[in-house]
Amino acid sequence: MLKIKNLHVSTESNISILKGLNLEINKGEVHAIMGPNGSGKSTLASIVAGDPKYMITSGEITFNGKSLTDLEPEERSSMGLFLSFQYPVEIPGISLNNFIKTALNQKQKALNEKPFSAKEILEKIKKNAEILKIDLDFIKRSVNVGFSGGEKKRAEIFQMLMLQPQLSILDETDSGLDIDALKIVAKGVNSLRNNNSSFIIITHYQRLLDHIQPDFVHVLNEGKIIKSGGSDIAKMLEEKGYDWI
Amino acid sequence: MTGYKKNLAPQFNVEKESSFITDFLPSIKNEDWNYTNIKKFIPDSIAVQPFNIGTNEEQLKKLISKKVDKLPEKNLVFFMDGVFQEELSKLPTGIKIKKLTNSENKQNALYLNCLGKGFNTINNDTYEGFSSFLKNTKLVELNAHLTDSPYMITVTDAYNCDGHLKIIHGFSNQNAFFNQNRLLCLIEENTRVLIYEEIINFGKGDSAFNMVSEFVCLEGSSLDFFTTQNDLTNSSLINSVFCVQQKNSSSNFHFFSKKGKLIRNNILVDLLDTRSNSNVLGTSLMESSDHLDNFIIISHLVEGCKSNQFFKSVYDENSSGAFCGKIYVEKGAQQTEAFQQNNNLMISKSANVNAKPQLEIFADDVVCSHGCTIGAIDEDMLFYLRSRGIKKKEAVQLLIGAFLNELISNIENPEIKKEVSELFLNNTNV
Ligand SMILES: Nc1ncnc2c1ncn2[C@@H]1O[C@H](COP(=O)(O)OP(=O)(O)OP(=O)(O)O)[C@@H](O)[C@H]1O
Ligand SMILES: [Mg+2]
């Protein structure tokens, strides 16, 4: 599904961040990516989503066989990519409700499908809000404005469930969540996992992985994946820290 | 009298016209006109005599139908070329309209009584009123010279209207012409009125409109006044609004500016007596090479008054603009609260804006603040929207809508809110 080959990525001001990264994710797999602060995890998420602040200097990313390099972020989204941001941006004046409606129907349009009726959208909203225990009044608020840290993360997962992506990248979605919220979010992810969606879960802690069993765990350091393996790696890191590698 | 009435007021000698006009146009060196070169928009040669094209009522209705699908069925005051059209208007209870006949008034640029009691020319030596502004902006005086005699609308305490009163100022010229338009409006004691004004160029000439509106808000009255400046393609508008307020009165102005070669708003409010307050708001979206200049002075002349200026503008393509807002607080005007905010969102690199906030405060017990921002679309917000599948163009539209909606969302009247939302928000569903 997603293939990343020898990826080198720099910022606009030519600071090199990813330095030869390889990763392959197949249908239905869950990959966890761990690694110290500043190692390049969010940069990897951003470049896959198409953030114009970063550029590929060499290497390649393909999604379902198609190169992502020249695709706009919106095109990647309608192909089924989703990024849950580490720091979701606040957008005053646009309600979460209308934002998600617009996004859904733009996606339908991009896929040449007919737009959802207001009733269909409302049903989806109700269903997903219930899974995530989100109040419907909450959805009327401006996107992320004044949301608590945990509310922001929950709103990201809500958007994910609404858009039903094939591949979701969750960038530290677990940080800021209380124990109950963590379980709720994991439930949301697992509900999507059932229909063959894939996930990249970026995290510093084992605790989310207790609820969402990863198939693979990778350790990213200084712009490269330096270790890959099964879920036991995460447990070792939790106990011994990165020096262990 | 029935049928279409055309303004045939000016008696100026055609040969004298051009130099005559020039004397009244402010230069760009004039401090109140630093950012708008009016001479670029109003050529010396522009006609001030109306053309005798003999439009009859039938033709007039046809002209109107080109721009307006349907006139409101009720609560409408319609002016065409500065003349009240009784047949087209539908007055609610408690509104009086009369033409002032006292031509002595022309000695003064303004008709409103400096004490704010009504419209007459009693002078008061100690109150300077709008005189320093009028010295710099002689266009108001020009308007007084060229308008036959103004209409006065009185909103009496018997006023009763469900919803809002619409005032349409239409212009019908087929050739370039310098139109003058004058309106006086008196709000009686303890009376509330919501007026929605629209300025529409039904003609096709690249005309100029020099409009002057004067408001007197008597004790305890409340005026909500919204203006849409949109149907002014190829035209220039100089819109001067003066408002004097008595005790416990309140005024809320909201200027919606969108389409016009030049839109210059002069908005001057004098808070003459205690516990009066004024909100002056502006929402605008400028494109092509259009130019918008909002010039505001709110004067706190006595203690215990409140005011707020809040202007939000979007500039796209090659448009340009200026915001000059002044808060003046007279000596002794204690317990004043006065705020000012101006936010500009620049969409294109070739658009530009100048902002000049001014505070002149001569009292010490005053809460005042002002803030101004000029910025582009936030890249992180744009990426966030796009990452959810929203196309760049639509995402920009959404962000423009979100920016402009801050003031629009507070409009209480649902019909006006709907019209204004359609004008600015492009059905973007913010
Ligand atoms: N736009 C940018 N300009 C300059 N430096 C950047 C930019 N984006 C990222 N970096 C740098 O690249 C490095 C990797 O950042 P990144 O956000 O990918 O780290 P991370 O692994 O997600 O860290 P954390 O665990 O703290 O979230 C950091 O040193 C960061 O300062
Ligand atoms: Mg990060």
Side-chain angles (χ1 to χ4, degrees):
Chain A
M1 181 181 265
L2 184 78
K3 280 192 187 136
I4 301 178
K5 270 193 233 144
N6 191 27
L7 186 69
H8 289 75
V9 169
S10 297
T11 63
E12 284 169 314
S13 50
N14 261 322
I15 303 168
S16 160
I17 302 176
L18 298 183
K19 302 159 184 164
L21 186 140
N22 294 291
L23 187 65
E24 185 167 343
I25 291 165
N26 297 309
K27 208 170 161 187
E29 289 177 355
V30 175
H31 291 241
I33 296 182
M34 306 183 81
N37 294 133
S39 56
K41 302 181 298 297
S42 293
T43 305
L44 172 64
S46 303
I47 197 78
V48 174
D51 188 340
K53 283 206 293 289
Y54 302 95
M55 51 187 193
I56 298 177
T57 51
S58 72
E60 199 187 22
I61 311 175
T62 60
F63 184 64
N64 291 335
K66 220 174 154 191
S67 168
L68 290 183
T69 314
D70 294 325
L71 295 183
E72 303 291 350
E74 55 270 32
E75 294 172 304
R76 302 178 194 213
S77 167
S78 43
M79 284 168 73
L81 267 169
F82 181 88
L83 169 60
S84 166
F85 286 78
Q86 182 175 4
Y87 305 111
V89 53
E90 303 192 357
I91 311 182
I94 300 181
S95 72
L96 180 54
N97 188 33
N98 283 327
F99 168 48
I100 198 67
K101 281 183 192 167
T102 309
L104 262 180
N105 278 332
Q106 288 245 329
K107 185 175 173 182
Q108 289 298 99
K109 208 169 146 193
L111 299 176
N112 280 323
E113 307 267 350
K114 71 173 200 312
F116 292 116
S117 70
K119 192 168 163 251
E120 283 172 305
I121 293 188
L122 187 66
E123 272 162 17
K124 281 180 203 292
I125 288 178
K126 275 191 183 154
K127 191 183 112 206
N128 293 319
E130 201 179 300
I131 294 175
L132 296 173
K133 298 208 163 74
I134 290 177
D135 203 71
L136 285 179
D137 278 337
F138 177 76
I139 293 165
K140 291 184 191 141
R141 288 169 61 179
S142 286
V143 177
N144 296 321
V145 178
F147 290 11
S148 74
E151 285 171 342
K152 281 183 184 164
K153 297 302 167 80
R154 223 186 273 213
E156 293 289 288
I157 296 303
F158 171 71
Q159 294 172 46
M160 181 187 83
L161 293 183
M162 290 297 293
L163 290 167
Q164 296 277 311
Q166 287 182 39
L167 173 66
S168 305
I169 305 173
L170 311 187
D171 191 355
E172 297 198 24
T173 302
D174 53 340
S175 337
L177 291 181
D178 63 43
I179 300 159
D180 291 338
L182 193 76
K183 281 187 195 149
I184 291 166
V185 163
K187 195 172 134 207
V189 170
N190 286 326
S191 77
L192 191 58
R193 191 178 178 180
N194 296 336
N195 44 12
N196 281 329
S197 295
S198 309
F199 292 87
I200 298 176
I201 295 174
I202 297 171
T203 181
H204 288 292
Y205 308 104
Q206 168 63 32
R207 47 176 215 167
L208 181 63
L209 305 178
D210 288 339
H211 300 284
I212 310 166
Q213 289 292 323
D215 301 300
F216 301 94
V217 177
H218 310 275
V219 179
L220 186 64
N221 193 27
E222 293 181 2
K224 270 190 215 159
I225 287 177
I226 54 163
K227 195 168 180 70
S228 296
S231 55
D232 50 317
I233 293 186
K235 294 197 181 84
M236 288 298 276
L237 284 178
E238 183 104 329
E239 278 169 32
K240 302 190 175 167
Y242 289 105
D243 287 343
W244 159 72
I245 300 166
Chain B
M1 253 211 292
T2 57
Y4 173 62
K5 285 160 237 138
K6 199 153 175 69
N7 189 354
L8 292 167
Q11 290 102 34
F12 293 99
N13 185 329
V14 182
E15 284 96 81
K16 269 173 65 193
E17 271 170 25
S18 53
S19 68
F20 175 79
I21 291 282
T22 316
D23 290 346
F24 289 90
L25 300 183
S27 119
I28 195 148
K29 291 193 199 107
N30 181 326
E31 61 171 330
D32 291 351
W33 288 83
N34 284 158
Y35 304 114
T36 297
N37 187 357
I38 193 81
K39 293 186 174 150
K40 234 174 64 189
F41 297 97
I42 300 173
D44 292 349
S45 57
I46 196 163
V48 294
Q49 296 266 32
F51 302 98
N52 197 359
I53 50 164
T55 313
N56 61 32
E57 198 172 340
E58 197 96 319
Q59 287 168 305
L60 179 73
K61 282 193 169 147
K62 217 172 122 196
L63 195 64
I64 292 170
S65 67
K66 278 190 203 157
K67 286 261 167 96
V68 181
D69 296 342
K70 207 165 150 268
L71 288 174
E73 309 259 320
K74 54 179 185 180
N75 309 332
L76 173 70
V77 178
F78 198 104
F79 293 97
M80 187 57 110
D81 301 320
V83 180
F84 176 53
Q85 306 296 320
E86 208 171 340
E87 307 290 304
L88 293 171
S89 301
K90 313 221 163 44
L91 300 187
T93 322
I95 288 278
K96 284 194 237 157
I97 299 192
K98 69 167 186 183
K99 204 169 160 83
L100 292 191
T101 46
N102 184 358
S103 55
E104 286 173 317
N105 286 332
K106 286 198 181 162
Q107 292 153 8
N108 290 44
L110 290 185
Y111 290 78
L112 49 80
N113 174 0
C114 46
L115 291 174
K117 300 271 187 218
F119 292 98
N120 59 46
T121 52
I122 303 163
N123 278 307
N124 178 309
D125 294 338
T126 57
Y127 168 61
E128 279 206 359
F130 305 105
S131 59
S132 70
F133 170 79
L134 295 171
K135 239 176 267 158
N136 282 345
T137 302
K138 290 220 166 64
L139 283 156
V140 178
E141 193 184 327
L142 178 73
N143 179 289
H145 279 297
L146 293 180
T147 317
D148 175 20
S149 53
Y151 287 93
M152 177 168 150
I153 297 184
T154 306
V155 184
T156 68
D157 58 5
Y159 177 68
N160 187 356
C161 160
D162 47 336
H164 63 280
L165 175 68
K166 184 134 187 175
I167 299 182
I168 296 179
H169 294 285
F171 298 97
S172 74
N173 325 100
Q174 302 301 309
N175 299 81
F177 174 61
F178 196 19
N179 301 267
Q180 312 296 321
N181 192 32
R182 187 84 176 199
L183 186 66
L184 312 180
C185 188
L186 178 77
I187 327 293
E188 288 193 340
E189 279 94 349
N190 302 316
T191 304
R192 288 186 79 90
V193 63
L194 166 56
I195 297 174
Y196 182 28
E197 177 191 68
E198 226 177 321
I199 304 165
I200 304 175
N201 184 10
F202 293 102
K204 57 181 177 215
D206 37 0
S207 297
F209 309 104
N210 184 23
M211 297 188 44
V212 178
S213 305
E214 299 174 46
F215 296 92
V216 174
C217 299
L218 297 185
E219 187 170 337
S221 67
S222 155
L223 165 69
D224 283 326
F225 191 83
F226 297 159
T227 302
T228 295
Q229 305 165 335
N230 180 44
D231 280 302
L232 296 162
T233 313
N234 286 327
S235 307
S236 302
L237 169 70
I238 304 119
N239 182 37
S240 303
V241 174
F242 299 87
C243 181
V244 290
Q245 291 186 227
Q246 294 199 334
K247 196 182 287 181
N248 282 325
S249 65
S250 75
S251 68
N252 294 295
F253 291 93
H254 200 156
F255 293 79
F256 307 107
S257 313
K258 194 169 169 202
K259 189 72 214 155
K261 195 162 69 177
L262 163 71
I263 299 172
R264 159 81 182 212
N265 289 308
N266 301 309
I267 307 148
L268 290 93
V269 178
D270 275 6
L271 299 169
L272 295 176
D273 208 343
T274 186
R275 292 192 302 281
S276 56
N277 65 69
S278 178
N279 292 302
V280 179
L281 314 177
T283 296
S284 58
L285 172 57
M286 305 305 289
E287 291 167 337
S288 67
S289 306
D290 294 347
H291 182 73
L292 170 69
D293 184 347
N294 283 314
F295 182 95
I296 302 105
I297 304 176
I298 298 187
S299 302
H300 287 254
L301 302 167
V302 296
E303 60 178 25
C305 297
K306 291 181 186 170
S307 73
N308 182 28
Q309 306 171 30
F310 195 171
F311 279 74
K312 301 201 81 168
S313 299
V314 176
Y315 294 94
D316 201 353
E317 298 174 359
N318 297 309
S319 63
S320 56
F323 171 84
C324 296
K326 188 194 276 191
I327 300 170
Y328 175 87
V329 182
E330 182 80 289
K331 204 169 129 199
Q334 306 296 11
Q335 280 116 48
T336 286
E337 280 178 34
F339 305 105
Q340 182 192 93
Q341 193 175 332
N342 172 228
N343 301 125
N344 301 287
L345 179 61
M346 314 307 287
I347 305 299
S348 107
K349 289 210 165 66
S350 35
N352 74 80
V353 67
N354 285 291
K356 190 165 98 179
Q358 285 174 285
L359 302 178
E360 282 183 29
I361 298 172
F362 300 100
D364 46 28
D365 180 9
V366 167
V367 182
C368 258
S369 78
H370 69 100
C372 167
T373 61
I374 300 175
I377 290 273
D378 184 295
E379 291 298 328
D380 289 333
M381 292 186 194
L382 187 61
F383 174 59
Y384 188 84
L385 296 176
R386 294 177 73 192
S387 78
R388 302 303 187 233
I390 299 171
K391 285 210 189 82
K392 185 173 180 181
K393 203 170 150 236
E394 267 86 13
V396 169
Q397 287 299 328
L398 268 178
L399 291 171
I400 291 175
F403 177 85
L404 291 176
N405 198 34
E406 185 174 358
L407 293 178
I408 295 172
S409 64
N410 288 330
I411 299 173
E412 280 170 23
N413 180 290
E415 290 155 59
I416 298 178
K417 189 177 191 164
K418 187 164 168 277
E419 275 189 47
V420 173
S421 300
E422 277 164 14
L423 186 62
F424 287 105
L425 306 181
N426 230 333
N427 304 320
T428 44
N429 263 327
V430 288

